Structure formats: C-alpha cells, structure tokens
Amino acid sequence: MIRVVVADDQPLVRMGLRTLIETEDGVQFAGEAANGREALSLIQSVRPDVVFLDIRMPVLDGLEVLRRVSADPACAGVKIVVLTTFDLDEYVFEALRTGASGFLVKDSDPTDLLRAVHVVADGGSLLSPSVTRRVIDRFASGASARPVPHLDKLTEREREIMRHVASGASNDEIAATLVISPATVRTHVSRAMVKLGARDRAQLVVFAVQSGLT
C-alpha cells in the first residue's frame, strides 16, 4: 500500500487530490496539510511513501519543507513531488536540486497524477519532457557551470546519454535516437547515477545542467 500525503494551501486542491487518491487501488490517503509547518510535522510523524507538496505555502514554504525533509535521515524513504502552477515557477530547479523526485503542474490530467504516485514510489522520478525542457531552458541559460564530483568517471556514451536525459527525453526516445535498446539506455543511466552519486533521474538532470553538459 502506497501512503500519500497532500500539502497545499488551497482547500479545493487538497480535496481534489484526496478524492483522486482514494479511488486508486493500492494507494492510501495518509493525511493533508494546509501550510508548511503542518506539512513538515505530518511528514515527519507519518513518514509517507509519497508527498504532493505545493512549492508556495504560508508559514513555511515548500522549498524549506523539502530541505528539512531531505536532511532528515528518518525521512530517507519519503519521495516528494512538487506541485506548481508553473508560471514559470523559479523554484522548480532548486526543488529538484534539493531533493524533489519530480514536479507536476496542478492542472495535470488525473491519470498523470496517479501515475506519478506509482512511478515515484517505485524509485523513479517524474520529469515530464515538455516541462523539463522549459525548466532547463530557463535555468541553464542563466546558470554558470559548476564542477560536479566524479564527472570524469563517466564514459563518453554515459555523457551522451546524460545530455539526452537532461533534454527531457525518455529512455525509449534516447534508444531510438542512438539506435540502441531501451535496456541499454537504462543501464547507462544507472551507471551514471552510481558514479555521480545521483539520488535519482531528477538529480542527474540537475548535475547535467550544473556541469554544463547541456
């Protein structure tokens, strides 16, 4: 059973997500919070599998909640999906760098929201290609490259695939472009993550941007 917490200051958003979650088999609604302080307390006490976290909340903003949860060893198993109105939210890139497993626009299709629960709970990251490209374009253009430890350990093929991952391409899209199998792509992505100490695919994208690979 995947336990999900919703943290958003808008009652209608919380109600909508709760109703959606309660209709999904294998998923349990584990609580809701209307501000950042409530969210942090709830997450630390319940330790859910997945959290839908609004990036802009009163009392304590979502980014600070994310920082504290990521720094808490007791919450190591908690996966956080950032919710944004995407206008374009300048906090999204920082959220990925801080520890978010992905992000979703609040008016996403219900099937995408439910899919996010399963993908993130399974250890994956939710990076919608179209949204990812907008984030990369917005932040890579104004960010100076910074060294990423162990980047020199990557093979040329791993670097190439890492660039494609940072562009928002899926494993199938990368496989088609490079004329290799999706399984081979997954292997290279996994090896790159291990070598760089990336927590997940989302952090791999951050490292690619920071190092100038994009």
Side-chain angles (χ1 to χ4, degrees):
M1 186 66 70
I2 302 172
R3 296 172 305 133
V4 182
V5 158
V6 173
D8 194 292
D9 64 336
Q10 298 178 40
L12 283 177
V13 172
R14 296 199 306 274
M15 182 178 69
L17 286 171
R18 177 172 188 163
T19 300
L20 182 65
I21 290 166
E22 290 178 338
T23 64
E24 181 74 355
D25 292 336
V27 178
Q28 177 185 14
F29 186 80
E32 63 183 68
N35 64 59
R37 195 176 304 282
E38 288 180 4
L40 181 61
S41 177
L42 181 61
I43 293 169
Q44 291 177 328
S45 61
V46 174
R47 296 181 197 173
D49 301 295
V50 178
V51 178
F52 282 122
L53 178 67
D54 185 9
I55 201 69
R56 294 172 176 171
M57 285 194 298
V59 186
L60 199 65
D61 69 35
L63 198 56
E64 183 58 28
V65 173
L66 181 57
R67 288 194 186 100
R68 297 189 190 188
V69 170
S70 298
D72 186 349
C75 295
V78 177
K79 306 295 183 181
I80 295 181
V81 176
V82 168
L83 294 175
T84 174
T85 51
F86 220 81
D87 193 21
L88 174 70
D89 200 325
E90 69 268 24
Y91 299 117
V92 171
F93 186 76
E94 182 62 27
L96 290 175
R97 180 161 51 195
T98 304
S101 291
F103 51 88
L104 281 173
V105 182
K106 287 186 181 182
D107 61 359
S108 294
D109 188 276
T111 57
D112 290 334
L113 290 165
L114 291 176
R115 174 175 160 270
V117 172
H118 294 283
V119 169
V120 172
D122 196 39
S125 59
L126 194 79
L127 293 173
S128 167
S130 61
V131 176
T132 301
R133 290 186 184 111
R134 287 174 64 188
V135 172
I136 296 303
D137 289 345
R138 170 73 177 266
F139 292 98
S141 62
S144 57
R146 64 178 69 180
V148 173
H150 311 304
L151 190 66
D152 58 336
K153 293 183 179 180
L154 298 184
T155 65
E156 188 52 44
R157 178 61 104 183
E158 288 164 353
R159 283 171 177 260
E160 183 179 24
I161 287 178
M162 191 169 166
R163 291 189 192 97
H164 284 287
V165 169
S167 75
S170 66
N171 286 346
D172 288 343
E173 290 171 334
I174 297 172
T177 299
L178 301 181
V179 196
I180 56 179
S181 72
T184 300
V185 174
R186 285 195 295 273
T187 298
H188 285 304
V189 170
S190 295
R191 287 175 178 170
M193 287 171 57
V194 170
K195 290 179 180 180
L196 298 180
R199 178 188 60 257
D200 53 26
R201 195 181 182 97
Q203 196 167 49
L204 196 64
V205 170
V206 172
F207 286 165
V209 175
Q210 288 182 333
S211 63
L213 283 180
T214 54

